[in-house]
Amino acid sequence: MDRSDTFRILMLGNSFTRANGLPELLAEELSCEVEVHARGGARLAEQLNPKTKLGSQTLASLEAGGYAFVVLQEMSTAAVASPASFERSVQRLASLVRAQKGVPILFETWAFCEGCPRLAALGLAPSSMQDAITSVCRSIADKDRLVLAEVGEAFRKQGFAPRLYGRDGRHPSLDGTKLAVEALASAIRGA
């Protein structure tokens, strides 16, 4: 990819996608335009629902096309709690992206930080939560020939360091967001 070429990215996700200006940092890193369709707590299934504000906006944008890449970021617990639904949503969105000659990028999220109450409620450790996320994301990416941005694995390589997390132990700190941008940019450059 020639960095001098201007291209557009659409990011579909939730608060993990918007955290700490991630879209703006990605746009700066790749010298491109980034549009975001995200709402805190949103699932990819909502992006497909024309009866919701987010879904109708996303479906109209995907139909119009013009995106070189579309980043798909699912709720962080979906790989653990509802992997089949996660896969169905990704498959449907990837099909819509490809119909407009775009490249779908699957954004692998990260495990929650040790000590996070949500992690304890799941009965998992960071490594076992990441194992589940990574396994589901790799399976979907392999089966559907998707580019996978292994953001969660980048968190693992840093030992799920507390400095990567915000105060809630789930959302990223600025350091975590910068790490996510690095993984996303690498995946996009490699596509």
Side-chain angles (χ1 to χ4, degrees), residues 99-121:
Q100 296 298 330
K101 310 293 187 231
V103 176
I105 307 286
L106 183 56
F107 180 146
E108 174 196 86
T109 57
W110 51 85
F112 301 156
C113 188
E114 187 66 49
C116 173
R118 284 264 183 91
L119 183 68

Side-chain angles (χ1 to χ4, degrees), residues 30-171:
L30 294 173
S31 301
C32 68
E33 296 176 26
V34 177
E35 181 179 332
V36 183
H37 295 187
R39 178 188 65 71
R43 304 273 315 250
L44 288 176
E46 183 180 346
Q47 303 276 2
L48 288 159
N49 185 347
K51 294 180 182 177
T52 67
K53 181 179 178 182
L54 187 60
S56 62
Q57 177 187 25
T58 294
L59 292 171
S61 292
L62 290 174
E63 186 175 319
Y67 302 101
F69 302 96
V70 178
V71 176
L72 311 174
Q73 183 257 307
E74 179 61 283
M75 170 118 14
S76 57
T77 57
V80 176
S82 55
S85 173
F86 176 11
E87 183 173 6
R88 280 190 304 274
S89 295
V90 169
Q91 288 172 334
R92 289 182 57 206
L93 285 163
S95 177
L96 293 171
V97 171
R98 287 185 175 124
Q100 296 298 330
K101 310 293 187 231
V103 176
I105 307 286
L106 183 56
F107 180 146
E108 174 196 86
T109 57
W110 51 85
F112 301 156
C113 188
E114 187 66 49
C116 173
R118 284 264 183 91
L119 183 68
L122 292 170
L124 299 171
S127 60
S128 56
M129 183 177 180
Q130 193 61 53
D131 288 345
I133 293 169
T134 298
S135 175
V136 169
C137 287
R138 285 181 178 166
S139 174
I140 293 169
D142 288 346
K143 186 188 295 184
D144 298 311
R145 300 176 329 277
L146 301 174
V147 175
L148 178 60
E150 292 190 317
V151 179
E153 286 301 314
F155 270 64
R156 186 195 306 263
K157 286 178 184 167
Q158 297 288 319
F160 303 109
R163 68 176 176 73
L164 299 174
Y165 297 88
R167 291 170 30 165
D168 67 2
R170 295 179 297 128
H171 289 84

